[in-house]
Amino acid sequence: MTTRKTPMPTLPPEERARSFDEVALGYTEELALREAERCLGCKNPACVAGCPVGVEIPTFIDLLKRREFAAAYSCISASNSLPAVCGRVCPQESQCESHCVRGIKGDPVAIGRLERFVADRHAAGNPGAPEPRALPEDAPRVAVVGSGPAGLTCAGDLARRGLRVTVFEALHTEGGVLAYGIPE
């Protein structure tokens, strides 16, 4: 078992110079499984304590190792509404990965890259938005002001709890920092 993270494929420099495409291309299934094998499955996982939303990291990685991709996605999304975004822009190196025991003698497990892989794989197999749940006409209504990551997470959590949610956005495109602050 290597002490170094599995490298992530990147867009060649010649293509980067002519596009605004994402530079980090993400793990293939083979690379994700290789990186997942580096996880020690600690009995008292410090990485979970370092995760601001409390993702059960060893559990989702174990499910990934067993190729139970849908279950791994369910594990992540139980506490993280935006795993594909967090897998790309969350500062894992100063949060969950900084607590990873593997980091004592080498690189920590690439938790964010694995989260991104699971989320991207889920999205590829489930294109489009999920069907909205039918709610009774008298279901409580709530407004969420702002369609950035926090507003969308709040709206999703409230909708799962059976409330009718309307999201309001002042700007012409939804997404907040996802639309205006992070390159596509």
Side-chain angles (χ1 to χ4, degrees):
M1 185 181 305
T2 179
T3 60
R4 296 284 165 220
K5 285 183 183 178
T6 304
M8 182 182 287
T10 57
L11 196 65
E14 317 74 63
E15 292 181 44
R16 287 185 220 173
R18 293 176 186 57
S19 75
F20 288 99
D21 293 339
E22 195 169 7
V23 174
L25 300 177
Y27 279 155
T28 62
E29 182 176 323
E30 177 187 345
L31 295 174
L33 291 170
R34 184 182 314 156
E35 184 62 21
E37 286 299 326
R38 296 184 63 241
C39 180
L40 301 173
C42 301
K43 184 177 179 182
N44 297 308
C47 57
V48 176
C51 177
V53 295
V55 171
E56 290 295 327
I57 296 164
T59 304
F60 104 73
I61 292 177
D62 183 58
L63 291 164
L64 173 58
K65 287 180 189 178
R66 292 187 277 145
R67 296 183 169 165
E68 296 179 29
F69 302 116
Y73 179 79
S74 292
C75 178
I76 296 168
S77 59
S79 49
N80 183 350
S81 298
L82 302 169
V85 173
C86 291
R88 287 171 168 80
V89 301
C90 179
Q92 296 95 0
E93 62 281 350
S94 64
Q95 294 179 3
C96 56
E97 290 181 14
S98 71
H99 291 81
C100 178
V101 173
R102 295 279 302 164
I104 294 170
K105 293 184 178 179
D107 292 339
V109 174
I111 298 165
R113 294 176 185 182
L114 295 176
E115 182 178 40
R116 172 187 172 168
F117 168 79
V118 170
D120 287 355
R121 182 179 176 96
H122 175 79
N126 299 285
E131 288 296 317
R133 188 173 93 184
L135 295 171
E137 285 297 318
D138 63 343
R141 300 178 66 90
V142 66
V144 172
V145 179
S147 67
L152 294 175
T153 299
C154 178
D157 288 349
L158 292 170
R160 278 192 286 280
R161 289 189 170 106
L163 283 80
R164 291 183 172 276
V165 181
T166 302
V167 178
F168 292 93
E169 175 58 57
L171 300 175
H172 63 281
T173 302
E174 299 84 13
V177 73
L178 300 177
Y180 295 104
I182 301 171
E184 199 172 319

